Amino acid sequence: RAARLTDLPELLQQLNAPDFDGGRLIRSLDKLGNMRVSNEEICEGIIRMGEDIKTKDYVRLNLWAKSCVLRAHRLGQRVGALSEKCHELRVTLEKAMEAMEYFQSTKEMSELRFQAIQAVRKAPPGDAPKLAGWRPPREPTYPPEDEAVRFTQMATRLVGGRGGGGGGLRVSPWRHRRRRLLVAPPHEER
């Protein structure tokens, strides 16, 4: 806007300055680097343009070029990282698309299989198959005996019955005495 309203372009041409757009002009005149140009900075910048090129101008140009190279390098790294992420995303999307295509191609078979499994699970159990040569066990003709009653009867026969001496095993008194001696506690006299 200043170039249209003032004679600044003519002044820059008289100083043999290159053609600037607004951003480049502000960067070349901005001494503090805050992207704002005051009147003093404009005056000092125009005076510097009229002077011969000095060593500090080369140093500034070198710093500016180095800064541009570092920015370009950093931008290249960021673009490389972004490219890797895009590649990973592309591979993931390709796998997702393959999965979708597989799903679409096997959808009917999968549904048929699912319905068959559901039908089998919900169906009532059928009769058990009859085995060749198998016969059901015969039912006993007598009622089953009680195991406890049989054990007590056997023990009574071996040891001897209560109250009336019938049919127990006879053990000689000599054996009873010997057992008592073997089993007797040590503090008793023998």
Side-chain angles (χ1 to χ4, degrees):
R1 195 171 107 183
R4 283 180 278 151
L5 299 177
T6 62
D7 56 346
L8 184 61
E10 296 171 7
L11 182 62
L12 291 174
Q13 284 178 354
Q14 291 174 359
L15 294 172
N16 292 328
D19 292 334
F20 288 113
D21 63 351
R24 289 196 312 181
L25 179 62
I26 289 175
R27 277 196 301 272
S28 65
L29 297 177
D30 186 16
K31 189 175 182 182
L32 299 175
N34 57 3
M35 293 306 287
R36 292 184 182 175
V37 181
S38 64
N39 290 336
E40 293 88 22
E41 286 177 329
I42 291 175
C43 292
E44 288 177 11
I46 290 175
I47 291 171
R48 272 186 277 138
M49 286 182 189
E51 297 176 354
D52 291 333
I53 297 177
K54 298 181 181 175
T55 309
K56 67 179 183 179
D57 295 328
Y58 288 113
V59 170
R60 281 186 187 170
L61 184 62
N62 186 17
L63 289 174
W64 181 76
K66 187 173 183 179
S67 174
C68 286
V69 168
L70 291 175
R71 284 181 186 177
H73 180 67
R74 178 68 181 142
L75 184 62
Q77 289 176 343
R78 291 174 68 187
V79 167
L82 185 62
S83 172
E84 289 176 10
K85 288 181 182 179
C86 287
H87 178 70
E88 291 174 9
L89 183 62
R90 179 180 176 206
V91 168
T92 304
L93 286 175
E94 284 177 356
K95 289 180 181 178
M97 291 306 215
E98 288 175 7
M100 284 299 296
E101 289 174 4
Y102 178 76
F103 172 74
Q104 288 176 350
S105 66
T106 61
K107 180 181 176 187
E108 292 177 9
M109 292 300 296
S110 298
E111 287 178 356
L112 184 63
R113 182 175 182 265
F114 176 74
Q115 290 172 358
I117 289 172
Q118 291 299 320
V120 168
R121 287 183 181 164
K122 291 179 181 177
D127 294 334
K130 300 199 177 197
L131 300 176
W134 179 82
R135 293 186 182 152
R138 287 191 292 169
E139 295 189 20
T141 54
Y142 302 105
E145 292 187 38
D146 187 16
E147 296 280 332
V149 173
R150 288 180 62 201
F151 177 73
T152 25
Q153 287 174 354
M154 181 197 66
T156 306
R157 279 194 305 262
L158 283 175
V159 176
R162 294 183 192 166
L169 295 176
R170 304 280 181 212
V171 180
S172 67
W174 180 80
R175 286 194 177 249
H176 282 294
R177 183 172 177 265
R178 185 172 173 206
R179 282 189 189 157
R180 272 189 241 132
L181 291 175
L182 290 174
V183 181
H187 64 279
E188 293 182 11
E189 291 184 23
R190 294 183 188 193

